[in-house]
Amino acid sequence: MTRSRQRGGKAPAWIAMAAILLGTGAVAACSPLRTFNSLVPKDGGARRIATGVPYGSDPRQRLDIYAPRDSAPGEAANAGDRPVVVFFYGGSWSSGTRRGYDFVGRALSAQGFVTIVPDYRLVPDIRYPAFVEDGAAAVRWARAHAGDYGGDGSRIVLAGHSAGAYIAAMLAFDDRWLGRDRAAVRGFAGLAGPYDFAPFDVEASRAAFGQWPDPAETQPVTWAGAGDPPALLMFGAKDETVLPRNSEALAQRLRAGGVAATLRRYDGVGHVGIVASLARPLRGNSPALSDMAAFVRAVAGPASGDAAPGTPAAAQPSAASPSPSAPSASRRR
């Protein structure tokens, strides 16, 4: 009998759910991750320290906060000394919930970071750019309030999977959304992100972006270039939903501007499998978690209260400002 089986030879329920998730490449499979999350064993070295915290007035504008188990809000010894990871989940911009990614929040925080997982408004109730605007509001909230939860709001790494990686990339590389607050963004870590997918040839992208008059304005590759934060771009070799060329195109654009961009290709991993491999029992499928943790430490520094070596100090958080609905020519490439 293996350790992965219960008494009587019956496999734990999470194994069956993992088999379903890993056996499909559909973006819609991101939704069953909530069931997977409820069943899969979690990291014991982290905990959720706040839930349903509002960063806006809409019911979908809520976030959860995770921290290493040895930290807590209000403890002076821990206040403001940990890098902050803001993680956006995927789901075709039309599905998903932060509670389905509790395993991600705990996995990242067990590595020593304060992790924030926001919800955001979804299609069909909204269209682009509303989900990017929500992401920007969540990041501005994180910059202003992370110190209340043991994090350093001047050392933020934006991360995400699939549609969530798209949101994080737009915030990292297109300064229309965060403005001065982008100074706090030390890096971007994307899992299987769509960064170069115009024209819109699938229903999910048509529903989210089809009404926008200039498709190029919606693409992260349009805005990426000199002066942007470093990037870690991870993808599965078996991903047939968001093709690896998206990560490769973004890396090429960033490198052309002198920005450090690291590509990580994981053999045998598909679109959903790459984020599922952040879960404790599935880490043998890819080193995505260890790669992300090493990247965060490299660009944002350890939990020391000091900025990463060579990284300029960020300006103080600016007052929240409305996100634009039209592009700025200064960043159009």
Side-chain angles (χ1 to χ4, degrees):
M1 183 176 70
T2 67
R3 294 181 63 187
S4 65
R5 292 188 175 272
Q6 298 171 327
R7 292 179 181 177
K10 184 177 179 180
W14 69 265
I15 293 181
M17 177 55 66
I20 294 171
L21 289 171
L22 300 180
T24 179
V27 177
C30 294
S31 296
L33 277 167
R34 183 167 184 175
T35 302
F36 170 78
N37 176 80
S38 69
L39 298 171
V40 72
K42 312 292 195 306
D43 287 85
R47 60 197 179 101
R48 189 170 62 232
I49 59 174
T51 184
V53 179
Y55 66 87
S57 59
D58 191 271
R60 288 284 305 179
Q61 294 171 329
R62 302 289 184 271
L63 54 83
D64 290 350
I65 306 170
Y66 300 82
R69 188 162 289 278
D70 63 354
S71 69
E75 293 183 5
N78 294 318
D81 69 349
R82 298 184 185 276
V84 176
V85 179
V86 181
F87 181 89
F88 296 95
Y89 55 76
S92 301
W93 304 282
S94 64
S95 67
T97 170
R98 66 186 190 276
R99 290 299 181 85
Y101 292 82
D102 181 81
F103 74 97
V104 175
R106 293 177 188 271
L108 290 169
S109 286
Q111 299 295 314
F113 316 125
V114 170
T115 306
I116 296 174
V117 182
D119 278 334
Y120 49 92
R121 290 172 294 165
L122 300 172
V123 173
D125 294 335
I126 52 83
R127 300 290 191 275
Y128 171 89
F131 39 79
V132 183
E133 293 170 340
D134 284 1
V139 173
R140 287 194 295 266
W141 185 96
R143 190 178 189 198
H145 299 286
D148 298 335
Y149 299 90
D152 182 349
S154 71
R155 294 189 290 148
I156 295 174
V157 173
L158 302 180
H161 170 246
S162 191
Y166 166 87
I167 294 172
M170 288 296 282
L171 300 176
F173 306 129
D174 179 358
D175 59 7
R176 296 178 300 164
W177 308 108
L178 287 174
R180 291 194 312 157
D181 288 308
R182 199 170 72 113
V185 176
R186 301 302 180 91
F188 164 74
L191 294 157
Y195 313 119
D196 183 18
F197 57 96
F200 309 127
D201 55 3
V202 298
E203 181 55 33
S205 58
R206 286 193 295 267
F209 301 95
Q211 87 296 345
W212 199 254
D214 184 353
E217 290 175 8
T218 71
Q219 303 296 286
V221 293
T222 298
W223 305 99
D228 285 339
L232 172 64
L233 305 173
M234 299 162 282
F235 60 91
K238 293 178 65 176
D239 193 337
E240 298 179 354
T241 302
V242 177
L243 298 180
R245 66 170 181 78
N246 283 268
S247 294
E248 294 163 352
L250 181 57
Q252 182 178 16
R253 184 63 62 90
L254 289 168
R255 290 168 178 170
V259 178
T262 301
L263 285 167
R264 287 286 184 266
R265 177 182 183 271
Y266 304 133
D267 292 335
V269 175
H271 187 68
V272 178
I274 194 170
V275 70
S277 73
L278 301 180
R280 185 161 60 88
L282 298 180
R283 286 175 195 157
N285 293 344
S286 91
L289 179 64
S290 58
D291 285 347
M292 288 180 71
F295 175 75
V296 174
R297 294 186 187 105
V299 300
S304 64
D306 294 326
T311 304
Q316 291 299 312
S318 64
S321 57
S323 294
S325 57
S328 168
S330 65
R331 286 284 294 179
R332 186 66 182 269
R333 307 183 202 283

